[in-house]
mmCIF file of all heavy atoms in Angstrom:
data_model
loop_
_atom_site.group_PDB
_atom_site.id
_atom_site.type_symbol
_atom_site.label_atom_id
_atom_site.label_comp_id
_atom_site.label_asym_id
_atom_site.label_seq_id
_atom_site.Cartn_x
_atom_site.Cartn_y
_atom_site.Cartn_z
ATOM 1 N N HIS A 48 94.134 68.695 92.086
ATOM 2 C CA HIS A 48 92.731 68.930 92.407
ATOM 3 C C HIS A 48 92.257 68.130 93.611
ATOM 4 O O HIS A 48 92.632 66.978 93.821
ATOM 5 C CB HIS A 48 91.856 68.579 91.202
ATOM 6 C CG HIS A 48 90.404 68.835 91.425
ATOM 7 N ND1 HIS A 48 89.528 67.843 91.808
ATOM 8 C CD2 HIS A 48 89.671 69.973 91.358
ATOM 9 C CE1 HIS A 48 88.321 68.361 91.943
ATOM 10 N NE2 HIS A 48 88.387 69.651 91.671
ATOM 11 N N ALA A 49 91.422 68.769 94.408
ATOM 12 C CA ALA A 49 90.712 68.116 95.508
ATOM 13 C C ALA A 49 89.479 68.950 95.802
ATOM 14 O O ALA A 49 89.473 70.154 95.559
ATOM 15 C CB ALA A 49 91.593 68.011 96.755
ATOM 16 N N ALA A 50 88.438 68.302 96.317
ATOM 17 C CA ALA A 50 87.207 69.037 96.604
ATOM 18 C C ALA A 50 86.392 68.310 97.663
ATOM 19 O O ALA A 50 86.505 67.096 97.824
ATOM 20 C CB ALA A 50 86.371 69.213 95.333
ATOM 21 N N ILE A 51 85.578 69.078 98.375
ATOM 22 C CA ILE A 51 84.657 68.500 99.344
ATOM 23 C C ILE A 51 83.499 69.470 99.541
ATOM 24 O O ILE A 51 83.681 70.688 99.450
ATOM 25 C CB ILE A 51 85.357 68.189 100.691
ATOM 26 C CG1 ILE A 51 84.475 67.304 101.584
ATOM 27 C CG2 ILE A 51 85.761 69.464 101.424
ATOM 28 C CD1 ILE A 51 85.222 66.730 102.800
ATOM 29 N N VAL A 52 82.317 68.918 99.767
ATOM 30 C CA VAL A 52 81.133 69.703 100.112
ATOM 31 C C VAL A 52 80.581 69.146 101.416
ATOM 32 O O VAL A 52 80.312 67.946 101.519
ATOM 33 C CB VAL A 52 80.050 69.626 99.020
ATOM 34 C CG1 VAL A 52 78.830 70.462 99.418
ATOM 35 C CG2 VAL A 52 80.599 70.085 97.683
ATOM 36 N N VAL A 53 80.418 70.014 102.408
ATOM 37 C CA VAL A 53 79.968 69.600 103.730
ATOM 38 C C VAL A 53 78.723 70.387 104.113
ATOM 39 O O VAL A 53 78.658 71.603 103.897
ATOM 40 C CB VAL A 53 81.079 69.825 104.790
ATOM 41 C CG1 VAL A 53 80.619 69.378 106.171
ATOM 42 C CG2 VAL A 53 82.351 69.091 104.392
ATOM 43 N N ASP A 54 77.736 69.690 104.664
ATOM 44 C CA ASP A 54 76.561 70.350 105.229
ATOM 45 C C ASP A 54 77.029 71.191 106.409
ATOM 46 O O ASP A 54 77.555 70.666 107.399
ATOM 47 C CB ASP A 54 75.546 69.303 105.675
ATOM 48 C CG ASP A 54 74.214 69.898 106.112
ATOM 49 O OD1 ASP A 54 74.231 70.908 106.842
ATOM 50 O OD2 ASP A 54 73.163 69.336 105.768
ATOM 51 N N GLY A 55 76.857 72.500 106.312
ATOM 52 C CA GLY A 55 77.365 73.403 107.337
ATOM 53 C C GLY A 55 76.647 73.304 108.662
ATOM 54 O O GLY A 55 77.148 73.785 109.680
ATOM 55 N N SER A 56 75.465 72.678 108.686
ATOM 56 C CA SER A 56 74.712 72.531 109.930
ATOM 57 C C SER A 56 75.003 71.211 110.636
ATOM 58 O O SER A 56 75.102 71.169 111.854
ATOM 59 C CB SER A 56 73.207 72.625 109.650
ATOM 60 O OG SER A 56 72.868 73.915 109.186
ATOM 61 N N THR A 57 75.154 70.142 109.855
ATOM 62 C CA THR A 57 75.309 68.807 110.459
ATOM 63 C C THR A 57 76.719 68.258 110.361
ATOM 64 O O THR A 57 77.064 67.316 111.070
ATOM 65 C CB THR A 57 74.360 67.808 109.782
ATOM 66 O OG1 THR A 57 74.775 67.623 108.415
ATOM 67 C CG2 THR A 57 72.927 68.297 109.814
ATOM 68 N N GLY A 58 77.536 68.816 109.478
ATOM 69 C CA GLY A 58 78.875 68.278 109.259
ATOM 70 C C GLY A 58 78.899 67.081 108.327
ATOM 71 O O GLY A 58 79.968 66.509 108.078
ATOM 72 N N LYS A 59 77.769 66.695 107.768
ATOM 73 C CA LYS A 59 77.705 65.544 106.865
ATOM 74 C C LYS A 59 78.400 65.875 105.551
ATOM 75 O O LYS A 59 78.196 66.934 104.972
ATOM 76 C CB LYS A 59 76.247 65.162 106.597
ATOM 77 C CG LYS A 59 76.084 63.981 105.646
ATOM 78 C CD LYS A 59 74.614 63.679 105.399
ATOM 79 C CE LYS A 59 74.452 62.533 104.410
ATOM 80 N NZ LYS A 59 73.023 62.248 104.124
ATOM 81 N N VAL A 60 79.227 64.944 105.077
ATOM 82 C CA VAL A 60 79.903 65.113 103.792
ATOM 83 C C VAL A 60 78.933 64.731 102.676
ATOM 84 O O VAL A 60 78.427 63.612 102.627
ATOM 85 C CB VAL A 60 81.177 64.249 103.717
ATOM 86 C CG1 VAL A 60 81.808 64.347 102.322
ATOM 87 C CG2 VAL A 60 82.186 64.677 104.769
ATOM 88 N N LEU A 61 78.672 65.680 101.781
ATOM 89 C CA LEU A 61 77.734 65.448 100.680
ATOM 90 C C LEU A 61 78.445 65.053 99.394
ATOM 91 O O LEU A 61 77.843 64.424 98.519
ATOM 92 C CB LEU A 61 76.909 66.715 100.430
ATOM 93 C CG LEU A 61 76.105 67.244 101.625
ATOM 94 C CD1 LEU A 61 75.376 68.528 101.254
ATOM 95 C CD2 LEU A 61 75.127 66.191 102.136
ATOM 96 N N TYR A 62 79.710 65.422 99.279
ATOM 97 C CA TYR A 62 80.494 65.112 98.084
ATOM 98 C C TYR A 62 81.960 65.274 98.442
ATOM 99 O O TYR A 62 82.338 66.140 99.234
ATOM 100 C CB TYR A 62 80.136 66.075 96.940
ATOM 101 C CG TYR A 62 81.129 66.068 95.800
ATOM 102 C CD1 TYR A 62 81.076 65.079 94.820
ATOM 103 C CD2 TYR A 62 82.113 67.047 95.702
ATOM 104 C CE1 TYR A 62 81.999 65.065 93.776
ATOM 105 C CE2 TYR A 62 83.032 67.040 94.660
ATOM 106 C CZ TYR A 62 82.969 66.051 93.700
ATOM 107 O OH TYR A 62 83.881 66.034 92.680
ATOM 108 N N GLU A 63 82.792 64.424 97.869
ATOM 109 C CA GLU A 63 84.238 64.580 98.076
ATOM 110 C C GLU A 63 85.002 63.955 96.924
ATOM 111 O O GLU A 63 84.550 62.991 96.291
ATOM 112 C CB GLU A 63 84.677 63.979 99.406
ATOM 113 C CG GLU A 63 84.366 62.516 99.600
ATOM 114 C CD GLU A 63 84.716 62.043 100.997
ATOM 115 O OE1 GLU A 63 85.710 62.538 101.564
ATOM 116 O OE2 GLU A 63 83.998 61.181 101.510
ATOM 117 N N GLN A 64 86.157 64.510 96.657
ATOM 118 C CA GLN A 64 87.079 64.000 95.649
ATOM 119 C C GLN A 64 88.489 64.336 96.104
ATOM 120 O O GLN A 64 88.831 65.508 96.269
ATOM 121 C CB GLN A 64 86.789 64.631 94.283
ATOM 122 C CG GLN A 64 87.622 64.050 93.154
ATOM 123 C CD GLN A 64 87.297 64.702 91.822
ATOM 124 O OE1 GLN A 64 87.584 65.879 91.615
ATOM 125 N NE2 GLN A 64 86.680 63.962 90.928
ATOM 126 N N ASN A 65 89.278 63.320 96.381
ATOM 127 C CA ASN A 65 90.657 63.503 96.876
ATOM 128 C C ASN A 65 90.685 64.367 98.135
ATOM 129 O O ASN A 65 91.638 65.124 98.359
ATOM 130 C CB ASN A 65 91.538 64.166 95.807
ATOM 131 C CG ASN A 65 91.602 63.382 94.525
ATOM 132 O OD1 ASN A 65 91.587 62.144 94.537
ATOM 133 N ND2 ASN A 65 91.666 64.069 93.401
ATOM 134 N N SER A 66 89.655 64.247 98.969
ATOM 135 C CA SER A 66 89.489 65.197 100.065
ATOM 136 C C SER A 66 90.520 65.034 101.182
ATOM 137 O O SER A 66 90.687 65.941 101.989
ATOM 138 C CB SER A 66 88.086 65.087 100.663
ATOM 139 O OG SER A 66 87.902 63.829 101.292
ATOM 140 N N GLU A 67 91.203 63.895 101.238
ATOM 141 C CA GLU A 67 92.218 63.702 102.278
ATOM 142 C C GLU A 67 93.616 63.596 101.694
ATOM 143 O O GLU A 67 94.552 63.219 102.393
ATOM 144 C CB GLU A 67 91.872 62.485 103.130
ATOM 145 C CG GLU A 67 90.549 62.651 103.876
ATOM 146 C CD GLU A 67 90.374 61.707 105.042
ATOM 147 O OE1 GLU A 67 91.282 61.629 105.884
ATOM 148 O OE2 GLU A 67 89.321 61.056 105.112
ATOM 149 N N ALA A 68 93.758 63.964 100.423
ATOM 150 C CA ALA A 68 95.071 63.979 99.787
ATOM 151 C C ALA A 68 95.816 65.247 100.174
ATOM 152 O O ALA A 68 95.229 66.320 100.298
ATOM 153 C CB ALA A 68 94.916 63.898 98.272
ATOM 154 N N ALA A 69 97.120 65.123 100.396
ATOM 155 C CA ALA A 69 97.933 66.265 100.813
ATOM 156 C C ALA A 69 97.989 67.314 99.709
ATOM 157 O O ALA A 69 98.240 67.002 98.542
ATOM 158 C CB ALA A 69 99.344 65.804 101.167
#
Side-chain angles (χ1 to χ4, degrees):
H48 182 263
I51 193 168
V52 180
V53 181
D54 187 316
S56 295
T57 67
K59 179 181 178 182
V60 175
L61 302 178
Y62 165 81
E63 58 186 325
Q64 186 180 68
N65 302 325
S66 66
E67 297 198 51

